[in-house]
Amino acid sequence: MGKKARVLLIAACACAAMAAFVLFGCSSGSEPAPEPAQPATEQTTESSEAQAEQESTEAETSEAAEDSSSAPATEDPVELQLFAANSLSEAMNAVQELYTQDHPWVTFADTQYEGSGTLNELLGAGSYADALITASKSTMDTAVEEGYVDETTRFDMFKNDLVIVGGEASDLTDVALEDLATGEYTLAVGDANVPAGAYAKQALSTTDPACWIAADGATGSETDGKEGTFDGTPLEGKVTEGSSVGNVCSYANSGDVDCAIVYSSDVYRYGGVKVLSAVPADTHKPIVYPAAVCTVSENAEAVEEFLDWAYTDKAAQQVWQEYGFELA
């Protein structure tokens, strides 16, 4: 081979080696190409979704907190002790049962149902009660004067009426107030501690001749119906006085007496008697049931809430009406 040919061959080999080196170096030393950036629209959408989810979570948390703050706090258990006029017993028991269904943290102790005067005597002897409901304004006046109740919480709950009743088996059908003045009938009324008896005596003082004589000589609504006598009247020796309206009703029901004067609500409550006539409302004081929170109550707020509910709740009002009471 000539000198010129050798030079050309060496040059060709050098070029080939250079090309191989360049190719190998580029392929072995290259970094992976970065992934293309996401389009701006996709990034914006994902960011908006994340932000919306966060805002939704915050809204739910805020709403839950708001609901929690507006909802009533868990109530502490409370037991209420009521002193109530005897004539309220059946209706009050039903109303208390309704109340505890919606207020499960409230229970009622054994509610004391007695003549209103007897209830005052119990309070005066130191008995505990959260609230007092009497069957006359005068007995509640006494409770206020003696400091048994908080006068600022006093209000009138119900009204009632007087009726003359006889036993269901009785042959009597129509005996009016004036008929009692003939002396032909035996009669039962409440004693001095029973407001129904006081109202009855007020009415009996208006007959001609009078069937009851007040100690002060007053008649009708002018007397309190407590101090007086049947002696010297057409009913002398013919009257049985009961310690509760329940007893008074039972005397008529059993036939021990011909007639009894009771509340119209007692006819619904006890049964066994029939109405012979209504006693004119103008012959006695208005029959009103006042209620008040007792000064010794340790649950004044809770019992005041119950009394308000018992007076305003529709279901409670229906119960009172079913038992013959009118809202005052």
Side-chain angles (χ1 to χ4, degrees):
M1 179 182 297
K3 181 177 181 180
K4 185 176 180 179
R6 287 199 299 271
V7 173
L8 292 174
L9 178 61
I10 292 170
C13 290
C15 289
M18 180 66 71
F21 173 78
V22 172
L23 179 62
F24 177 77
C26 289
S27 61
S28 62
S30 62
E31 294 291 337
E35 295 181 2
Q38 293 182 341
T41 54
E42 293 183 8
Q43 291 180 348
T44 302
T45 300
E46 291 180 1
S47 176
S48 298
E49 291 177 351
Q51 183 177 358
E53 183 176 355
Q54 181 179 357
E55 290 176 352
S56 176
T57 302
E58 291 176 351
E60 291 175 359
T61 302
S62 174
E63 183 178 352
E66 183 178 349
D67 290 343
S68 175
S69 63
S70 61
T74 301
E75 299 284 351
D76 293 328
V78 60
E79 183 180 63
L80 301 179
Q81 174 70 69
L82 302 185
F83 277 15
N86 190 60
S87 53
L88 290 170
S89 60
E90 297 294 330
M92 180 63 77
N93 287 340
V95 168
Q96 288 177 354
E97 184 176 351
L98 279 177
Y99 190 70
T100 54
Q101 290 176 5
D102 293 334
H103 304 76
W105 60 90
V106 177
T107 56
F108 290 91
D110 184 19
T111 299
Q112 298 300 299
Y113 299 110
E114 299 285 352
S116 299
T118 301
L119 294 176
N120 274 343
E121 291 175 1
L122 291 172
L123 291 172
S127 295
Y128 175 88
D130 291 301
L132 173 68
I133 307 174
T134 67
S136 71
K137 288 187 174 183
S138 62
T139 48
M140 185 59 77
D141 290 341
T142 299
V144 170
E145 293 168 3
E146 296 296 331
Y148 303 151
V149 298
D150 178 358
E151 186 175 13
T152 64
T153 65
R154 175 178 176 171
F155 72 103
D156 293 337
M157 289 190 75
F158 315 110
K159 297 187 296 183
N160 215 331
D161 302 298
L162 282 184
V163 290
I164 299 174
V165 300
E168 284 185 333
S170 171
D171 293 333
L172 296 176
T173 57
D174 185 11
V175 178
L177 184 65
E178 287 296 331
D179 294 328
L180 297 178
T182 64
E184 296 179 9
Y185 306 99
T186 55
L187 179 70
V189 297
D191 64 22
N193 281 326
V194 180
Y199 293 125
K201 292 166 187 173
Q202 291 167 14
L204 291 167
S205 72
T206 66
T207 60
D208 185 19
C211 289
W212 184 81
I213 301 173
D216 60 4
T219 61
S221 60
E222 298 302 316
T223 178
D224 61 10
K226 293 182 179 180
E227 299 293 332
T229 182
F230 290 101
D231 294 343
T233 75
L235 290 180
E236 181 176 355
K238 296 183 178 183
V239 177
T240 300
E241 296 189 62
S243 60
S244 70
V245 286
N247 289 339
V248 175
C249 271
S250 70
Y251 295 144
N253 181 25
S254 65
D256 289 343
V257 297
D258 297 319
C259 310
I261 299 180
V262 297
Y263 295 130
S264 60
S265 60
D266 295 325
V267 178
Y268 297 89
R269 185 160 65 110
Y270 294 109
V273 294
K274 59 185 179 182
V275 176
L276 302 177
S277 68
V279 176
D282 60 0
T283 62
H284 56 80
K285 294 180 184 294
I287 302 174
V288 179
Y289 289 66
V293 176
C294 293
T295 52
V296 297
S297 175
E298 298 174 357
N299 310 294
E301 183 177 351
V303 78
E304 196 164 8
E305 288 178 0
F306 166 71
L307 292 175
D308 179 69
W309 178 92
Y311 184 74
T312 60
D313 182 79
K314 296 298 183 184
Q317 290 175 351
Q318 183 174 352
V319 171
W320 301 125
Q321 292 168 1
E322 287 175 356
Y323 282 90
F325 293 98
E326 301 174 50
L327 294 176

